Amino acid sequence: MERARRLPQRLQLRYAVRVGVLRGDITTEHVDAIVNAANSRMRGGGGVDGAIHRAGGPAVLADCVARFPDGLATGDAGWTVAGDLPARWVIHTVGPDRHAGQTDRAQLVSCYRRCLEVADDLGALTVAFPLVGAGVYGWTVEESAGAALEAFAATSTRVEEARFVAFSDAAYDVVAGLLA
């Protein structure tokens, strides 16, 4: 069941972009761009990365290989076609891996800031975000969402809507609580 929550009007002024959260599958979002929590090799993987590559089909991987022959640095972002996804583009970002000693929160904030910058370059007005770094990279949902909200507040952007897509009820509840 999909649960959506909009940010109360009084809080929307804190961010350069309208922020919301819903419970669902990011690969089904009808937005201009979806964000992929990628690994630095840019060749697909598990979790959100694997789901996006599977749903997007071979065009996403082919574009990753062409655009990112040497991969992508932690905290950076770049885009590819979306292939069979309902979005126009995929914005890939590489979150810091706490288990590998990458504990600088600024890199996590950079992921979200760079995604907004890439979205601006593309002309994307609506962007669906996973919780970058939460999961196998060891950041908590609170840390990831907090980093995103920091970036959304500090980054001048033409993006009109940033939507967190939480894969679980627990993640949804945490993000909704932060937005309340």
Side-chain angles (χ1 to χ4, degrees):
M1 178 162 95
E2 184 173 292
R3 299 187 302 179
R5 180 179 178 121
R6 287 201 174 273
L7 194 61
Q9 186 65 33
R10 65 183 169 75
L11 295 179
Q12 286 185 16
L13 301 176
R14 291 177 36 196
Y15 306 107
V17 58
R18 188 173 64 244
V19 181
V21 60
L22 60 88
R23 164 78 169 83
D25 177 352
I26 198 165
T27 67
T28 65
E29 289 299 301
H30 291 266
V31 290
D32 295 326
I34 63 170
V35 172
N36 179 21
N39 61 56
S40 62
R41 292 175 320 190
M42 300 296 293
R43 301 298 183 262
V48 171
D49 192 19
I52 287 172
H53 276 269
R54 282 188 302 277
V60 176
L61 179 58
D63 210 14
C64 280
V65 171
R67 290 179 191 275
F68 309 105
D70 299 319
L72 193 62
T74 300
D76 202 359
W79 67 275
T80 65
V81 298
D84 297 329
L85 294 161
R88 243 178 116 180
W89 301 286
V90 176
I91 300 173
H92 305 266
T93 190
V94 179
D97 185 347
R98 289 191 88 144
H99 303 300
Q102 297 174 332
T103 58
D104 184 359
R105 185 177 179 280
Q107 287 185 310
L108 191 57
V109 174
S110 177
C111 290
Y112 289 102
R113 178 183 51 77
R114 285 290 299 130
C115 286
L116 291 174
E117 292 168 353
V118 170
D120 281 346
D121 290 345
L122 294 169
L125 299 178
T126 55
V127 182
F129 287 86
L131 292 157
V132 176
V136 299
Y137 278 14
W139 295 85
T140 67
V141 170
E142 293 89 346
E143 290 167 326
S144 180
L149 294 176
E150 180 180 325
F152 296 164
T155 306
S156 177
T157 183
R158 290 184 306 278
V159 172
E160 295 174 355
E161 179 185 349
R163 162 185 325 169
F164 287 108
V165 182
F167 192 70
S168 71
D169 287 338
Y172 172 89
D173 290 342
V174 168
V175 176
L178 289 173
L179 294 176

